[in-house]
Amino acid sequence: RVRSSAASDVYKRQELIRSPIVGIFYKAPSPDEPEFAAIGDRISKGQTLCIIEAMKVMNELKSPCDGILRAVNGINGQLAEYDQVLFEVEKC
């Protein structure tokens, strides 16, 4: 099956950000603070996207690229598996 040029361009610009560890996924620094990033936000390389808690250690997951956040696949307060896609970013 041949991809169309437009679909191919979108695929090339998409960055899947995966969990580097197993742990609890948190979208915000604390329950009473805003999320690190929301769908539609422009994000920068190195920007914190979430925290993954593993063995009582809070690990920040940072964006590897500049772009627009298109999807958040992690569920706040739920387990994130190793290599699970947590975010989808359109690079720009």
Side-chain angles (χ1 to χ4, degrees), residues 5-67:
S5 177
S8 180
D9 289 346
V10 169
Y11 179 75
K12 288 177 187 175
R13 292 192 322 250
Q14 184 181 36
E15 179 81 21
L16 301 178
I17 302 173
R18 300 173 183 274
S19 179
I21 57 175
V22 174
I24 305 299
F25 174 87
Y26 294 108
K27 297 192 297 186
S30 67
D32 57 339
E33 292 188 49
E35 297 177 1
F36 289 109
I39 295 172
D41 284 357
R42 182 169 289 278
I43 58 172
S44 302
K45 182 176 181 175
Q47 178 178 339
T48 300
L49 299 176
C50 71
I51 292 174
I52 300 175
E53 179 186 1
M55 297 176 55
K56 302 293 181 194
V57 175
M58 301 298 181
N59 302 281
E60 292 183 349
L61 180 60
K62 298 181 184 287
S63 177
C65 62
D66 294 333

Side-chain angles (χ1 to χ4, degrees), residues 70-90:
R70 294 298 183 198
V72 178
N73 301 321
I75 299 172
N76 198 49
Q78 298 293 315
L79 184 68
E81 297 289 343
Y82 171 74
D83 208 36
Q84 176 183 342
V85 175
L86 297 177
F87 300 96
E88 298 174 30
V89 176
E90 180 184 337

